[in-house]
Amino acid sequence: MIKLCVFDFDSTLMDGETINILASAVGASEEVSAITKCAMAGELDFYESLTARVKFLKGLPLAKAEEIVSNLNYIAGAAEIIAYLKSKNIATVVFSGGFHIATDRAQKLLKFDLNFANELHHKDGILSGSVGGEMMFGDSKGKMLARLKSFLNLNQNEVACVGDGANDVSMFREAGVCVAFCANPILKAAATHVVDTRDLRELKQIL
């Protein structure tokens, strides 16, 4: 019986990639999107790709970044699947290689229980182009899930994960039910289930 479900954020709960959307505000959408695509396919080291992409955001006003993330769109069924899982007494947590600026707001809207992500460094109200946090590396999600399992005294078969990119592979190794949601081939190969319909309500059949 599943007791914990961990979701990726970008392109899993949120419809798109936060870093790409922020980059469009500084005229770097194409450059950042290209790096993101390679990173999610597992073709680039996640840490190196993340720090390279965030550098493009240097000079963006924090207020502008906050405005942008306040208008993010979510995947169809996002709120419904979180509510469904909570009705089954399944804890819901988000692991994001993206940013708390987006996931903290999403937590208030979608009502999941907890989130781990990264922080965009800013000074005097301006993004510096630097980043730090809990999800900086390709294996960060797996390590964090292992800690959560230990803390909550859960075994692998009591944990489910949902994601779409290469940096979700490590958390899949810690879970019994692993759902590749409209995912890159590298994650589909690591999954126990594959959903190719962009509607999170499809997960009810699995979870």
Side-chain angles (χ1 to χ4, degrees), residues 139-156:
D139 61 354
S140 293
K141 294 183 179 183
K143 288 181 175 178
M144 186 64 76
L145 183 50
R147 295 188 189 107
L148 271 184
K149 284 163 58 183
S150 177
F151 178 71
L152 298 171
N153 194 29
L154 299 177
N155 64 50
Q156 188 158 335

Side-chain angles (χ1 to χ4, degrees), residues 103-122:
T103 58
D104 290 353
R105 178 176 176 79
Q107 184 173 347
K108 294 176 182 178
L109 293 172
L110 301 180
K111 310 298 185 184
F112 47 83
D113 297 308
L114 189 65
N115 83 88
F116 297 89
N118 299 314
E119 298 282 2
L120 290 168
H121 182 261
H122 53 88

Side-chain angles (χ1 to χ4, degrees), residues 167-189:
N167 65 324
D168 297 318
V169 171
S170 67
M171 71 174 181
F172 273 25
R173 296 189 183 119
E174 298 289 336
V177 175
C178 307
V179 184
F181 181 77
C182 300
N184 283 274
I186 190 172
L187 193 65
K188 288 183 177 181

Side-chain angles (χ1 to χ4, degrees), residues 2 20 39 57 76 90 93 121 136 143 157 166 173 193 204:
I2 300 299
N20 296 354
L57 303 182
I90 298 172
V93 178
H121 182 261
M136 292 285 290
K143 288 181 175 178
N157 291 329
R173 296 189 183 119
H193 299 77
K204 289 183 180 181

